């Protein structure tokens, strides 16, 4: 049986062989330099006579050669929420759609926003029915509210659910005739590009986790498919993110923990994603270059800094509600991680989390004031992380060991073949010490009878699976690998 293809960085010998074969049919027109010791290697190109006839190319197999950086403008500082009215006045906006949820609507953050808008004479209306962990039905309800109002700008005050909902309200009021699935990520939707700028959107996060104030991604449950999906495009990103540490002081300990675990996995997954130049296919038009591109030198800086801050400050923020320094640092870490993963992407923890939360057998996480069962997003991504990073370790041992070192592990004498196991162990220890975290999928109510559905709910997440190291490109083999990961994630 032939060995299945997997997403790993090619060895120098394999790259050389592939290039020599390619050069016989499609020689390059110019040389470029490469540094073989660097993580982001570009293949060396050999001089060759110009060919006389064009050779057809299979564009689906061409690897990427460039990466782009896109992020919202960010304002960070205690009390800066009060400036938001001036921001909209400066834009010339006077029909602002203010988006929030029923809990945040009662908090000081919302009070300060309303006062600021009113003080500057900016007209607005309020939609406060955002659902925590949105479903496609709640997104449609929000869109139906916004369309008749015809806002000239949007303001989101709340956590990732609120900000993501506001992004989609903005999208579908700008494209009022679009079908709902037109922009939804393929294969669940059509995955059409967003071809024109949207209206201004200012995001005021009240949680420290999603980093949605920096990204062009919006996530929701597509109930008919029993899976989370979403829409990802640079044009979705907010115009401005106002990150005010005073707004996260009302977060309960459980929300601090689950939000922080999202930051943890954002940073780890973007740090360990396949390098951008290994991603296929290369877009034929830069407009079609995905937001999630693979690890790259700029995202690395943000992701690693976010990981270090999370390891240091998340336990403090969870254990002491009066530790305002830790809370502020976690808000900053969430924003940094948002810039990192918003351009590099995430992979297996997030891909597997979508069916975990979408197929919740009835689990209700402690500390969440909500009537219906809920697996918070951060919990759903972190619960598989020990299994995931044990699996991905062989793809890039140096990066996995560097991550383990951030947790305080001495890796000076560690063997490369043990990198995945080492990172898995320090992650499990971190989660246990954080407290009140389910120690595997069984603690969420899942059993072996659920694995088939979890796997089938993961397979459509191509946008992130394409960035997963060590994952097979052959679907049946990929399915078996995912089955093994869910089995391992039952307990840690």
């Amino acid at each position: 049986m032939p060995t299945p293809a997997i997403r790993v960085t090619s060895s120098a010998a394999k790259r050389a062989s592939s290039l020599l074969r390619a050069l016989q049919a499609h020689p390059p027109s110019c040389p470029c330099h490469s540094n073989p010791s660097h993580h982001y290697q570009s293949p060396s190109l050999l001089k060759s006579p110009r060919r006389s006839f064009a050779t057809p190319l299979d564009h689906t197999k061409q690897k990427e050669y460039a990466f782009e950086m896109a992020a919202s403008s960010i304002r960070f500082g205690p009390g800066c929420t009060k400036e938001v009215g001036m921001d909209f006045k400066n834009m010339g906006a006077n029909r602002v759609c203010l988006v929030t949820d029923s809990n945040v609507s009662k908090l000081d953050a919302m009070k300060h926003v309303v006062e600021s808008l009113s003080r500057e004479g900016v007209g607005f209306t309020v939609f406060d029915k955002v659902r925590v962990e949105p479903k496609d039905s709640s997104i449609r309800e929000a869109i139906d509210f916004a369309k008749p109002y015809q806002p000239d700008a949007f303001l989101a005050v709340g956590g990732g659910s609120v900000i993501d909902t506001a992004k989609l309200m903005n999208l579908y009021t700008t494209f009022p005739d679009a079908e709902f699935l037109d922009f939804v990520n393929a294969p669940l939707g059509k995955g059409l590009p967003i071809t024109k700028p949207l209206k201004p959107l200012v995001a005021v996060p009240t949680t420290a986790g999603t980093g949605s104030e920096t990204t062009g991604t919006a996530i929701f449950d597509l109930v008919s498919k029993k899976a989370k999906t979403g829409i990802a495009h640079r044009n979705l990103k907010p115009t401005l993110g106002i990150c005010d540490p005073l707004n996260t002081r009302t977060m309960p300990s459980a929300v601090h923990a689950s939000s922080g675990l999202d930051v943890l996995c954002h940073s780890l997954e973007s740090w360990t994603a396949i390098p951008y130049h290994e991603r296929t296919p290369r877009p034929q038009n830069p407009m079609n270059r995905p937001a999630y591109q693979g690890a790259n030198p700029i995202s690395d800086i943000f992701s690693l800094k976010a990981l270090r801050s999370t390891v240091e400050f998340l336990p403090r923020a969870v254990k002491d509600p009066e530790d305002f320094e830790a809370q502020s640092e976690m808000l900053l870490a969430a924003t940094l991680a948002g810039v990192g993963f918003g351009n590099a992407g995430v992979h297996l923890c997030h891909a597997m989390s979508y069916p975990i939360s979408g197929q919740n057998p009835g689990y209700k996480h402690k500390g969440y004031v909500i009537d219906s069962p809920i697996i918070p997003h951060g919990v759903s991504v972190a619960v598989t992380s020990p299994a995931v990073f044990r699996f991905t370790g062989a793809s890039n041992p140096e990066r996995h060991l560097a991550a383990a070192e951030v947790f305080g592990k001495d890796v000076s004498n560690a063997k490369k073949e043990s990198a995945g196991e080492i990172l898995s162990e320090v992650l499990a220890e971190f989660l246990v010490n954080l407290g009140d975290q389910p120690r595997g999928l069984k603690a969420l109510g899942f059993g072996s009878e659920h694995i088939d559905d979890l796997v089938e709910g993961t397979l459509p997440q191509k946008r992130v699976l394409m960035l997963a190291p060590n994952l097979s490109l052959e679907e049946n083999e990929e399915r078996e690998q995912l089955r093994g990961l869910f089995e391992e994630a039952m307990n840690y």
Side-chain angles (χ1 to χ4, degrees):
M1 178 178 175
T3 302
I6 57 176
R7 300 173 177 88
V8 294
T9 307
S10 303
S11 67
K14 287 181 179 177
R15 282 200 307 276
S17 298
S18 298
L19 284 166
L20 286 171
R21 286 195 297 271
L23 284 164
Q24 293 171 359
H26 185 55
S29 59
C30 65
C32 67
H33 302 288
S34 68
N35 178 354
S37 67
H38 198 273
H39 177 63
Y40 304 102
Q41 300 170 18
S42 297
S44 299
L45 300 178
L46 306 178
K47 293 182 179 179
S48 177
R50 185 178 299 276
R51 56 190 170 87
S52 301
F53 301 99
T55 303
L57 292 175
D58 183 352
H59 293 297
T60 64
K61 295 181 180 179
Q62 280 191 303
K63 292 183 178 179
E64 182 60 279
Y65 69 101
F67 68 93
E68 299 182 19
M69 288 299 296
S72 307
S73 295
I74 296 296
R75 181 181 302 145
F76 189 98
C80 64
T81 304
K82 66 179 180 291
E83 297 180 352
V84 71
M86 290 182 277
D87 290 316
F88 283 106
K89 186 175 182 180
N90 293 340
M91 294 176 195
N94 200 42
R95 291 183 67 82
V96 176
C97 185
L98 172 50
V99 185
T100 190
D101 64 39
S102 58
N103 290 321
V104 176
S105 66
K106 304 179 183 76
L107 301 180
D108 283 347
M110 189 66 175
K111 175 186 173 184
H112 294 320
V113 161
V114 169
E115 288 177 350
S116 183
L117 291 172
S118 300
R119 185 167 56 248
E120 300 299 328
V122 177
F124 65 94
T125 190
V126 178
F127 178 80
D128 62 1
K129 296 181 180 179
V130 170
R131 178 190 171 97
V132 178
E133 304 294 341
K135 298 183 182 296
D136 55 325
S137 57
S138 69
I139 297 292
R140 291 173 190 267
E141 179 185 2
I143 294 166
D144 289 343
F145 174 90
K147 280 184 177 179
Y149 182 65
Q150 296 186 326
D152 55 12
F154 287 83
L155 171 57
V157 183
S161 297
V162 169
I163 299 172
D164 285 3
T165 299
K167 290 175 183 178
L168 299 184
M169 294 167 77
N170 193 2
L171 173 63
Y172 287 99
T173 53
T174 304
F175 293 87
D177 298 325
E179 297 292 330
F180 185 73
L181 291 178
D182 281 354
F183 301 107
V184 173
N185 298 325
L188 296 175
K190 296 180 182 178
L192 298 180
I194 300 172
T195 54
K196 61 184 178 181
L198 307 187
K199 297 174 178 67
L201 164 61
V202 175
V204 182
T206 58
T207 61
T210 67
S212 186
E213 68 275 5
T214 72
T215 73
T217 302
I219 302 297
F220 58 88
D221 282 322
L222 191 59
V223 176
S224 62
K225 301 294 184 180
K226 295 184 178 180
K228 274 190 184 289
T229 183
I231 299 175
H233 194 276
R234 288 178 184 83
N235 286 353
L236 273 182
K237 63 182 173 57
T239 311
L240 171 66
I242 295 180
C243 299
D244 184 342
L246 300 181
N247 292 335
T248 65
R249 292 186 179 181
T250 54
M251 286 169 58
S253 176
V255 180
H256 271 299
S258 59
S259 298
L261 291 176
D262 200 17
V263 181
L264 181 76
C265 290
H266 283 158
S267 55
L268 277 172
E269 289 173 73
S270 55
W271 173 250
T272 56
I274 65 168
Y276 74 92
H277 56 75
E278 289 294 323
R279 195 193 75 251
T280 57
R282 179 192 304 175
Q284 295 305 295
N285 186 316
M287 180 178 69
N288 296 322
R289 180 165 283 116
Y292 288 2
Q293 302 165 85
N296 61 78
I298 300 180
S299 283
D300 284 351
I301 296 169
F302 289 90
S303 299
L304 196 56
K305 171 60 178 171
L307 177 62
R308 289 177 175 140
S309 294
T310 302
V311 170
E312 179 178 359
F313 293 107
L314 179 58
R316 285 174 48 181
V318 170
K319 289 181 172 61
D320 182 2
E322 301 299 317
D323 191 339
F324 300 138
E325 179 194 18
Q327 293 173 20
S328 178
E329 290 292 339
M330 281 307 303
L331 178 60
L332 183 57
T335 301
L336 293 172
V339 176
F341 90 86
N343 291 280
V346 289
H347 53 80
L348 283 165
C349 293
H350 274 75
M352 295 167 69
S353 79
Y354 298 146
I356 289 171
S357 53
Q359 299 175 27
N360 184 359
Y363 177 84
K364 185 176 180 181
H365 194 63
K366 180 180 177 182
Y368 272 69
V369 184
I370 188 171
D371 295 331
S372 55
I374 184 171
I375 303 175
H377 177 61
V379 172
S380 70
V381 294
V383 73
T384 63
S385 61
V388 163
F389 291 105
R390 184 183 298 115
F391 171 78
T392 60
S395 67
N396 196 318
E398 293 82 3
R399 291 207 157 212
H400 286 68
L401 289 174
E405 195 170 25
V406 172
F407 287 86
K409 182 72 174 179
D410 181 4
V411 299
S412 56
N413 295 314
K415 297 179 179 179
K416 288 185 178 181
E417 56 267 29
S418 302
E421 188 64 39
I422 291 170
L423 182 53
S424 173
E425 288 175 358
V426 298
L427 265 172
E429 182 180 3
F430 182 84
L431 294 173
V432 170
N433 291 339
L434 199 60
D436 289 329
Q437 296 306 309
R439 295 192 62 173
L441 294 174
K442 279 189 177 179
L444 298 176
F446 291 100
S448 57
E449 70 275 15
H450 296 104
I451 289 179
D452 284 345
D453 285 342
L454 290 170
V455 170
E456 295 307 313
T458 304
L459 284 170
Q461 310 300 331
K462 301 301 184 186
R463 178 177 61 96
V464 290
L465 289 177
M466 68 185 291
L467 301 173
N470 268 12
L471 193 65
S472 177
L473 296 170
E474 195 278 314
E475 187 168 310
N476 288 331
E477 180 68 17
E478 180 185 37
R479 182 178 276 107
E480 289 308 306
Q481 288 176 320
L482 291 172
R483 170 179 288 280
L485 283 168
F486 278 115
E487 289 173 348
E488 278 199 50
M490 283 293 165
N491 295 287
Y492 66 79

